[in-house]
Amino acid sequence: GKPFENFVMNNTGVDATNNITFTGALKVTGDFTLLSGDLRNDLSNIAINVAGNWTISSPARFYPGASAAVTFDGTSGGPYNINNNTAGAGTNVFNFLTINAASGVSYQFASDLDVNDDLNVLSGILNLNSHSMTFGNANTDSIKISGGTMEIDENATVQMYTAAASGAGADVVVLSGGTLAVVGATGSNATITRFSGTGGTDRYSFMVQSGGTIQAQYALFEYMDTNGIQLADGAIMHPIDNFSNVNFDNGPSGGRYH
């Protein structure tokens, strides 16, 4: 069917007879807004594409699809906000989140967010905007930056799913053409760490492949596995944000940092 210019849901019911589901993919060329009611993509499992802002306001709830991604794909304008500002078990989270916007188009967090499965940055910019992201729930989950840029800025934190065995936690992978910028400010680090409350030996992995770019300054990296940040031959380090003013903490015995 035809795409929505803007999508607004304001459904007063929150029981099974008032759920909103879809039978085909949902494409929104403008803003996506939930004001009230339940949008049950766990029942529909459809792909959702949004070009503009994403806003969920209390008491609305969004249930993500088991395998279908929410993709932000704006072609101009921005920055656009991603705001899941209500809580509920299994709701208002993303399972699969993709940024596939035009070059220079930015999406920024306007609240703390959970991403349960995979995060893919294909093109455009994803900026945490001084918010937190809790990422992953299995060792197959990955943050993959294969084009465009992911920015973890001052006071922003990424908390990774971890596991006791090396390589058994979630991973961060920067592929050729992608850029990861972990750049804070004096006294306000950008941080990549693990879930709070996880086991004392639990770790995640981190790899920058050939052609991938890493920027790091005023940053904290902690609880990585024994390989630390792996920089493959041909990986690119930013000339200014080149791991100056960076701390590596809580590494495993005998491990390395980069």
Side-chain angles (χ1 to χ4, degrees), residues 124-136:
I125 300 166
L126 177 62
N127 181 358
L128 266 64
N129 193 29
S130 299
H131 288 285
S132 295
M133 178 177 72
T134 302
F135 179 79

Side-chain angles (χ1 to χ4, degrees), residues 38-168:
D38 287 357
L39 181 59
R40 297 296 302 267
N41 202 30
D42 59 325
L43 303 177
S44 304
N45 198 38
I46 58 149
I48 298 176
N49 287 64
V50 176
N53 298 291
W54 171 285
T55 304
I56 302 177
S57 299
S58 181
R61 296 183 295 187
F62 171 72
Y63 292 77
S67 59
V70 174
T71 299
F72 293 96
D73 59 1
T75 58
S76 62
Y80 298 108
N81 290 327
I82 305 174
N83 190 354
N84 283 0
N85 59 6
T86 59
T91 70
N92 305 325
V93 303
F94 296 106
N95 282 342
F96 295 88
L97 176 61
T98 299
I99 307 298
N100 192 20
S103 177
V105 174
S106 177
Y107 287 87
Q108 62 185 17
F109 285 15
S111 66
D112 296 341
L113 294 176
D114 291 351
V115 179
N116 285 337
D117 292 287
D118 290 341
L119 168 61
N120 289 292
V121 180
L122 305 178
S123 59
I125 300 166
L126 177 62
N127 181 358
L128 266 64
N129 193 29
S130 299
H131 288 285
S132 295
M133 178 177 72
T134 302
F135 179 79
N137 60 18
N139 64 354
T140 55
D141 298 332
S142 294
I143 297 173
K144 290 184 179 177
I145 307 158
S146 57
T149 302
M150 180 174 176
E151 299 175 342
I152 304 170
D153 61 346
E154 58 191 86
N155 295 317
T157 300
V158 174
Q159 299 179 71
M160 299 288 295
Y161 170 84
T162 57
S166 181

Side-chain angles (χ1 to χ4, degrees), residues 174-180 208-215 231-239 241 243:
V174 186
L175 294 94
S176 179
T179 298
L180 175 61
V208 183
Q209 296 186 357
S210 178
T213 299
I214 180 73
Q215 296 179 232
L231 300 178
D233 290 343
I236 302 167
M237 186 182 299
H238 192 271
D241 299 324
F243 290 94

Side-chain angles (χ1 to χ4, degrees), residues 199-211:
T201 61
D202 287 3
R203 308 288 168 186
Y204 62 94
S205 63
F206 198 129
M207 176 73 175
V208 183
Q209 296 186 357
S210 178

